Each structure stands twice: as structure tokens, then as C-alpha cells.
Amino acid sequence: MNQKDEIRHKVWSKLTEEKLGRFPFPLTNRIPNFKGAEAAAKYITEMPEYKEAGIIKVNPDSPQLPLRTQILKDGKMLLVPTPRLKDGFIQVKPEWVPKGEERKAASLSSIMNYGKVIPLSKMPSIDLIVVGSVAIHRDGRRLGKGEGYADREYAIIRELGNKEVPVITSIQSAQMVDDEIPVDVFDLTVDWIATEKGLIETKSPYPKPTGIVWAEVSEEDMETMPVLKEIKELISNKKL
């Protein structure tokens, strides 16, 4: 088990042993849902960065459901990556959601009844990004569940020309670690951490990816994430 995996398993075990997790179980090998997710979401909605944002990209995992719900209630556009980045991003406009159905529309099981997958060529400019995490260091270093989707999603957004925007994660405070989390060139760091106790600004010294590190993209990645092929074509067409 490598260093990153050791830290992940330590956090999953801690949340499980201290009964800080919530359905779905087991917490391992996923972005863990946690007690206090609603409080963490509320802290985010009180941030000026949130209030000024019109379009917000949020991961599809359970602990961020309260935030996705509130985004729609607040009349903002929600962007959610499709599972395993198979088809890019799902767009949900608040006017597409009947009043009282925001939570249902924000859930992964029902989101396609309210939103639609948009081609990368039609991606709007995103104002704020929220990611889930397994472990977080106070200086913004982050570990997801180990498959690299949040890193890739951010890289895709930047590759498409989106400006650099604030990146926030919401976690249980028990997911904060002091371990030395290794940082690779493609790893996404966060600017703010929201917990059930409040907000922490990381002032992270680590640069974020400015686009896709194509040297790290394998043929298997291209097959399992067709969206990467789509981006390569878009880039080639721009150069022609």
C-alpha cells in the first residue's frame, strides 16, 4: 500500500470507528458521507465566493448533496460530472426544477430527470468549484478516493479555458490530517476547507494544474473516459 492509500485507509477507519460516517456504507473506497454535512454546506453558502457565483461545479457524492440542493434553491446553475467522467458534465438550471424538488434534482439517482449532459464545446464559464475528499491537510493538500476524477475534472475545466476559480472541499473535521500528503503535478489542491465546525482558508502554496497532463493519460484512460478524446479533438480543431 502506498503512502496516499495508507492515509486514506486511516481516515476511513477513523470515521468508521468513531461513528462519524453516514449512509452509504462501507465508507471505504468512496468519498465518505459524514455527520455534519449540512452544517459544512451552510458555511459554504455564507461565503462571498458562493454568493457571487452564478455557476457552480460540484462533485456527485453523497456528502455534497445538501450543497447541491441549496445551489438550486438559491437560483444558481449546477454542474455535476457524470459518473466516472463517461460523458462529461450534467447541467441543471434552476428554472428546470419545480419548487420543492431541488433535493431530488440534486441527487445522482434523479439528476438526469431534471438536467442534461452538455458537450464540452458548450461548457459555460464556472465561477466556483466544490470537491469531495477523503483526507485533507490544512495547507490544502487533498486526497480523493484514489481514482483521480476530481483532478481530471479540474484539469478539463482549465483546458477548456476556464479562469482559475476558488476550490472548496467539505469534510468532517476528523478527515483533517497532519500526514505529509505527497503532491504530484496533476494533483488538485483546495483553497478552502468547510467542516461541521466552520471554514479554514488554506493559503495553499501548491500550484493547481493549468490543464491536462497528457503525459499521464494512458490509452486505457482515453478508452474509459471518452471525454478526453473529445478534448483532444477540440484542441486540435482550435489549432487548425
Side-chain angles (χ1 to χ4, degrees):
M1 193 181 295
N2 64 35
Q3 189 177 353
K4 289 183 176 181
D5 279 337
E6 286 178 3
I7 298 168
R8 289 184 183 102
H9 281 275
K10 184 175 79 170
V11 171
W12 283 322
S13 296
K14 184 176 184 181
L15 291 175
T16 302
E17 289 163 8
E18 297 183 11
K19 295 183 167 48
L20 296 171
R22 290 199 306 203
F23 179 86
F25 294 105
L27 303 178
T28 50
N29 299 316
R30 69 171 83 241
I31 300 296
N33 199 2
F34 60 90
K35 293 174 181 176
E38 292 80 7
K42 189 172 188 299
Y43 283 118
I44 294 175
T45 63
E46 293 169 352
M47 298 175 67
E49 290 86 349
Y50 173 87
K51 292 177 179 177
E52 293 165 9
I55 302 175
I56 304 176
K57 178 254 167 190
V58 187
N59 59 300
D61 302 281
S62 298
Q64 284 70 44
L65 176 58
L67 180 63
R68 296 195 300 273
T69 302
Q70 193 60 45
I71 286 168
L72 295 173
K73 286 183 177 179
D74 289 338
K76 301 175 186 290
M77 185 192 297
L78 175 65
L79 282 178
V80 178
T82 55
R84 308 188 79 80
L85 272 181
K86 286 287 187 185
D87 294 307
F89 296 83
I90 304 164
Q91 178 188 54
V92 186
K93 293 185 177 181
E95 59 266 28
W96 297 347
V97 181
K99 190 170 176 60
E101 295 183 30
E102 292 89 357
R103 184 177 176 86
K104 190 175 178 185
S107 68
L108 194 57
S109 59
S110 301
I111 193 169
M112 285 306 298
N113 295 329
Y114 299 86
K116 63 180 182 182
V117 175
I118 54 172
L120 295 181
S121 59
K122 302 290 185 185
M123 277 279 287
S125 181
I126 295 166
D127 302 310
L128 184 66
I129 293 173
V130 180
V131 296
S133 301
V134 173
I136 285 284
H137 192 283
R138 186 174 287 270
D139 66 8
R141 285 176 287 171
R142 168 191 174 275
L143 289 178
K145 60 180 178 286
E147 296 178 334
Y149 289 109
D151 305 323
R152 281 268 163 86
E153 290 153 16
Y154 181 84
I156 286 168
I157 290 163
R158 294 286 279 132
E159 193 77 55
L160 293 172
N162 207 96
K163 63 184 182 294
E164 187 169 349
V165 298
V167 178
I168 306 168
T169 193
S170 59
I171 59 161
Q172 224 287 334
S173 53
Q175 292 173 255
M176 296 273 290
V177 299
D178 294 323
D179 304 74
E180 283 300 314
I181 298 175
V183 180
D184 292 304
V185 65
F186 47 80
D187 283 335
L188 176 63
T189 53
V190 303
D191 303 299
W192 290 89
I193 303 165
T195 77
E196 78 287 1
K197 296 177 180 178
L199 294 168
I200 299 166
E201 186 176 7
T202 67
K203 301 187 187 300
S204 183
Y206 302 97
K208 295 183 180 65
T210 56
I212 296 167
V213 183
W214 290 105
E216 299 289 339
V217 178
S218 66
E219 283 300 318
E220 185 181 353
D221 291 336
M222 297 289 274
E223 291 301 320
T224 56
M225 297 183 204
V227 69
L228 293 171
K229 287 183 180 177
E230 191 181 344
I231 291 172
K232 263 208 159 170
E233 288 171 10
L234 284 171
I235 294 169
S236 298
N237 290 336
K238 280 182 182 178
K239 288 178 180 176
L240 291 177

